[in-house]
Amino acid sequence: MAYLARLLAAQRCRRGTRPRRRALTPFAQAVLVIRWFCDATRVRHLARDNAISTATTYRYLHEGIDVLASAAPGLHGALLAARLAGHTHVHLDGTLIATDRCRALGPTAGVDLWWSGKHHRHGGNVQVVSAPDGWPLWTSPGRPGREHDVTCARAHPGLLEDLDHWIDDDHAALGDLGYEGEAHRLTVPIKPIPAGGRTVDQRTVNSLHSATRALAERANALLKTTFATLQRVTLCPWRTGAITAAALVLLHTEYDRTT
């Protein structure tokens, strides 16, 4: 909380905000933002508790999200830190950040842009790169929930290219079959051929891959269980990426760990 208050105070200094011209101090604003993240406190309740209008509460909330998201690590830096930490591999996995319904028409007639057919709910797809033990290192901007993981990965400039630079004889990037289209650069399970099966060696490789990559799910679960608001975001779906990045910064600060 003190970390966020310092970020907010620094932002006010950069903007040239005069003293006592805001309804809340940086610390009080930080408390408002943390309550929204950790307890998913409704905006109207935050407004009532702080004796400010709902519009001002939304503005203060978005300011807090943006100042945290701007402090999030970049992918290149996160991968460099992972290499210096001695990690032999990283995980790439997508997660759906559920949102309220947003009736934005997508390419498919009659299907909302943010509707995920896989999860049967509205939300934004966020790509997460994590350490071997499942600690989240980096999160991507949000994409519509209708998109598959490999489509989202390709849509983010530099994501696959930075992973290419990470991968060598001693380092790998692991993904599930959702990234089958990028199997030439990512390590994914072996898919059985039609009307056939897998050999004993292929099944062994897949078992080892599954056991190693299973911890990638911990990264997504850690973010969602620590911050209740990630279980259902009530803001614009396009904000899911910034909200997740802000949550990542809070997580790194709370545990004093980045790699």
Side-chain angles (χ1 to χ4, degrees):
M1 195 173 300
Y3 173 73
L4 175 54
R6 289 195 297 271
L7 291 179
L8 292 168
Q11 182 192 52
R12 294 186 185 188
C13 287
R14 288 193 299 270
R15 290 179 173 179
T17 303
R18 290 179 292 173
R20 295 182 295 278
R21 298 298 295 178
R22 303 292 294 271
L24 298 181
T25 65
F27 185 81
Q29 184 179 355
V31 172
L32 180 152
V33 174
I34 296 298
R35 287 183 62 194
W36 184 81
F37 268 100
C38 295
D39 301 328
T41 307
R42 292 182 177 273
V43 171
R44 68 172 181 269
H45 295 160
L46 294 173
R48 179 198 61 197
D49 294 345
N50 290 279
I52 57 178
S53 68
T54 301
T56 301
T57 304
Y58 273 113
R59 179 160 56 88
Y60 282 179
L61 178 59
H62 282 292
E63 284 181 2
I65 293 170
D66 290 337
V67 76
L68 284 169
S70 65
L75 179 58
H76 179 76
L79 292 176
L80 179 60
R83 188 180 290 268
L84 293 175
H87 298 326
T88 58
H89 65 277
V90 294
H91 307 285
L92 176 63
D93 193 23
T95 186
L96 186 82
I97 305 299
T99 67
D100 286 344
R101 184 181 181 185
C102 182
R103 296 187 62 181
L105 296 180
T108 305
V111 180
D112 292 346
L113 179 66
W114 298 91
W115 175 257
S116 170
K118 175 182 177 181
H119 298 89
H120 302 290
R121 65 187 309 175
H122 289 80
N125 185 305
V126 174
Q127 301 291 297
V128 180
V129 173
S130 57
D133 64 348
W135 178 257
L137 303 175
W138 174 84
T139 60
S140 74
R143 296 288 304 174
R146 67 175 300 278
E147 296 183 356
H148 295 289
D149 282 342
V150 69
T151 304
C152 293
R154 289 168 176 168
H156 296 305
L159 171 54
L160 295 175
E161 290 75 13
D162 280 342
L163 288 175
D164 260 340
H165 288 100
W166 156 268
I167 297 167
D168 56 29
D169 292 340
D170 300 317
H171 300 87
L174 277 59
D176 57 21
L177 278 175
Y179 301 95
E180 181 189 3
E182 293 294 333
H184 60 285
R185 63 177 111 201
L186 303 178
T187 303
V188 301
I190 300 171
K191 189 174 183 179
I193 60 174
R198 300 184 182 93
T199 66
V200 174
D201 288 345
Q202 289 175 333
R203 290 198 296 271
T204 302
V205 168
N206 280 1
S207 295
L208 292 172
H209 182 279
S210 297
T212 304
R213 210 201 68 82
L215 289 172
E217 300 296 338
R218 177 179 180 267
N220 302 334
L222 185 59
L223 285 167
K224 291 181 179 180
T225 55
T226 304
F227 304 102
T229 197
L230 293 183
Q231 297 174 20
R232 186 173 70 89
V233 171
T234 57
L235 303 181
C236 172
W238 285 112
R239 297 288 284 162
T240 53
I243 293 168
T244 309
L248 179 70
V249 173
L250 291 174
L251 187 72
H252 285 183
T253 304
E254 179 180 354
Y255 289 93
D256 192 23
R257 177 185 172 184
T258 57
T259 58

